Amino acid sequence: MEVPLSAPDITKKEIEAVLDVLRSNYLSLGPKLSAFEEAIASYSGASFAVAVNSGTSALHLIVRGLGIGPGDEVITTPFSFVASSNCLLFERAVPVFVDIDPNTLNIAPEKVESAITSRTKAVLAVDVFGLPADYDALVEITTRHNILLIEDSCEALGSTYKGQMAGTFGIAGAYAFYPNKQITAGEGGVVITDDEQLAAACRSMRNQGRDNSGDWLAHQRLGFNYRLDEMSCALALAQLERLDEILQKRSQVAEWYNNRLRGLSDVATPCVPSNDVEISWFVYVVRLSPEVDRQRVLSYLNGHGVQSKAYFPPIHLQPFYRSLLGYKEGDFPVTEQVAASTVALPFFTRMTEDQVEYVCQVLQEAICKAHR
Ligand SMILES: *Cc1c(COP(=O)(O)O)cnc(C)c1O
C-alpha cells in the first residue's frame, strides 16, 4: 500500500467552480476574489479579509503594514514552518526566538515576558499543527506591555480557543491554502483583521501599491504582486463551503490514529487539547521516545510506502539563521529535543481507516527494528 503524506480533497463542485471562472471574462481581480474575502471574513468573525497568493505573502503584508521594520524586534517561536519568521527578515526586523511548551509545542508564554526589550514591537504566535497558542496569556502580556500580537494561523483554519477563532486574537492573523492545508486554493493565503487601515494598506500592497481610484498606473506606495487569481479564489470558496465536512472527516482520521496508537510504547500521540480548545487537524505528528532511532523509523516507513517527514527542524538552526543571527545548538533545548523526536504520519481528509491501520502497523514494525 502507498499512503501519501497529504492529499487535497477536490470534488466535482470545486472542478465546476474553477471551470466556470475559465468560461468567464474575469481571471483576476473579479467577483470570486470579493466573494472569497467576504466568506472567509464571515467564517472567522473578522471585519476584513485580504486574499493574497500565499500564506507567506499574508504574513509579509501584515508585518510591513504594521510598520515593523529595520531593527525592530518581534518575539516568535523557533518551532514552526520557516515562513513565520522569514516574514520578519523580509523587512529587516529581528526575530527573537523563545522556547516552546513541551506539551502544546507552542510558544511558552512564561518565556515571552523576559525577552521583551525597548525595541520589541510585537509577539508573532504560531498555532503549531493547528493547536491554538495560549491566547489568554499572550493577549495579557502584549496588552500590558503595549506591543502588538500577530497570529500565524496558517495551520489552524477553523480551530477555536474558548469559542473564538484562531487568527482573531491579535491585530491581524494569517491563513494559508497550500495543498496540504485543511482547504486549498492551489496556492493562496489571506490576511484577516478588524483594523480598517491595516486592511486597506494590505489591499494596496498586494496590488503594486495602487489606491482605490481605479487608476491602474497610479501607485501610492511600494507594493508587490501578491494577487490571488480568480481560479484560485473560486477553488478556495468551494472548499470553504465544505469546510465543516472536511474538518469533521479530519477529526475522524485523528481519532482513528489516537485510538490505534494510544498505549503503544515509544510513541506519544499529539497533545490532547483542553476543553478550552477545539482543534482543526492540520497534520498528525507523533513523538518517538529517545530509545528509538528516528532516522531508521523514517527510512522504514518511507521504504514501505508510508510517506512520513520530520516536522519541523528548528528554524534557528537553519544555516542562514545561524549565520545572520548567531543562533546555535543548545539555544532552545525544548524545541531541539521535540524537533529531534517528531514524525509526521500520512494525514488527509479522505484517508480511510484501512490506511490508518496500515500506517500504524508499519510504524509498529519500524519502531521494533529501530530500537537502540
Ligand atoms: C503553511 C504555512 C505558512 C504559509 O505557507 P505558504 O506556503 O506560503 O502558503 C506559514 N506559516 C506556517 C506555520 C505554515 O504552516
Side-chain angles (χ1 to χ4, degrees):
M1 198 186 283
E2 293 282 325
V3 192
L5 184 59
S6 77
D9 175 20
I10 304 296
T11 67
K12 268 193 193 134
K13 182 182 149 104
E14 284 89 336
I15 294 169
E16 282 308 315
V18 173
L19 290 178
D20 280 349
V21 171
L22 291 171
R23 292 183 192 108
S24 78
N25 278 325
Y26 288 100
L27 300 190
S28 189
L29 296 175
K32 296 297 177 189
L33 173 62
S34 38
F36 175 56
E37 288 179 337
E38 273 166 39
I40 199 98
S42 145
Y43 177 79
S44 64
S47 308
F48 305 99
V50 180
V52 291
N53 59 358
S54 74
T56 306
S57 301
L59 289 166
H60 182 201
L61 292 189
I62 292 171
V63 169
R64 192 171 167 85
L66 291 171
I68 294 169
D72 291 341
E73 295 177 358
V74 177
I75 297 168
T76 191
T77 171
F79 188 69
S80 171
F81 181 61
V82 72
S84 65
S85 55
N86 281 353
C87 65
L88 303 167
L89 297 182
F90 296 162
E91 293 301 320
R92 303 279 183 272
V94 183
V96 174
F97 294 121
V98 301
D99 216 340
I100 58 170
D101 179 285
N103 296 314
T104 65
L105 313 187
N106 279 322
I107 196 166
E110 72 276 9
K111 291 177 183 151
V112 168
E113 193 139 19
S114 54
I116 296 175
T117 73
S118 58
R119 283 188 302 235
T120 306
K121 286 283 155 31
V123 171
L124 194 158
V126 181
D127 304 321
V128 172
F129 303 151
L131 185 66
D134 183 349
Y135 285 114
D136 272 354
L138 293 174
V139 167
E140 194 277 319
I141 293 166
T142 51
T143 308
R144 188 153 43 78
H145 287 270
N146 196 26
I147 55 178
L148 298 164
L149 175 61
I150 300 167
E151 288 171 76
D152 178 344
S153 296
C154 288
E155 304 187 353
L157 177 67
S159 291
T160 60
Y161 176 88
K162 299 193 171 171
Q164 188 180 331
M165 284 284 172
T168 64
F169 289 86
I171 180 85
Y175 298 137
F177 308 108
Y178 186 71
N180 72 337
K181 310 285 177 177
Q182 288 90 336
I183 63 169
T184 186
E187 295 281 359
V190 69
V191 174
I192 56 162
T193 181
D194 286 337
D195 187 305
E196 189 165 10
Q197 239 183 325
L198 177 62
C202 290
R203 194 153 294 183
S204 169
M205 285 189 292
R206 87 166 159 203
N207 189 20
Q208 306 284 14
R210 294 180 175 106
D211 62 14
N212 283 331
S213 71
D215 185 341
W216 192 248
L217 296 176
H219 306 275
Q220 203 151 42
R221 48 163 71 78
L222 177 65
F224 309 89
N225 179 355
Y226 284 173
R227 295 184 301 261
L228 188 65
D229 65 72
E230 287 287 288
M231 289 75 77
S232 300
C233 291
L235 173 54
L237 189 59
Q239 288 257 283
L240 186 59
E241 284 164 4
R242 293 183 48 233
L243 183 58
D244 287 346
E245 169 211 329
I246 286 172
L247 294 188
Q248 233 163 30
K249 287 186 178 157
R250 295 172 84 90
S251 292
Q252 173 68 76
V253 175
E255 200 183 309
W256 286 331
Y257 266 128
N258 284 336
N259 291 338
R260 181 65 171 71
L261 294 177
R262 216 175 267 138
L264 199 71
S265 55
D266 296 312
V267 180
T269 53
C271 176
V272 178
S274 69
N275 292 335
D276 288 344
V277 168
E278 195 84 52
I279 186 170
S280 158
W281 286 90
F282 165 54
V283 283
Y284 193 87
V285 176
V286 296
R287 286 158 67 189
L288 302 178
S289 81
E291 281 79 57
V292 179
D293 181 338
R294 179 179 61 172
Q295 199 40 56
R296 284 178 65 190
V297 169
L298 286 169
S299 309
Y300 190 89
L301 289 169
N302 287 300
H304 287 77
V306 176
Q307 270 187 24
S308 311
K309 269 213 170 77
Y311 278 1
F312 290 110
I315 297 175
H316 67 282
L317 298 181
Q318 298 287 352
F320 63 111
Y321 277 85
R322 288 179 192 245
S323 61
L324 203 61
L325 299 166
Y327 284 118
K328 58 188 184 320
E329 255 127 47
D331 282 343
F332 305 105
V334 181
T335 295
E336 291 169 31
Q337 211 178 7
V338 167
S341 73
T342 50
V343 174
L345 296 173
F347 188 79
F348 45 94
T349 306
R350 290 198 209 184
M351 197 167 177
T352 65
E353 199 168 4
D354 285 350
Q355 287 175 313
V356 170
E357 177 56 32
Y358 177 71
V359 171
C360 294
Q361 261 171 29
V362 177
L363 177 64
Q364 218 165 345
E365 290 163 19
I367 288 170
C368 276
K369 292 206 184 337
H371 232 273
R372 291 184 218 268

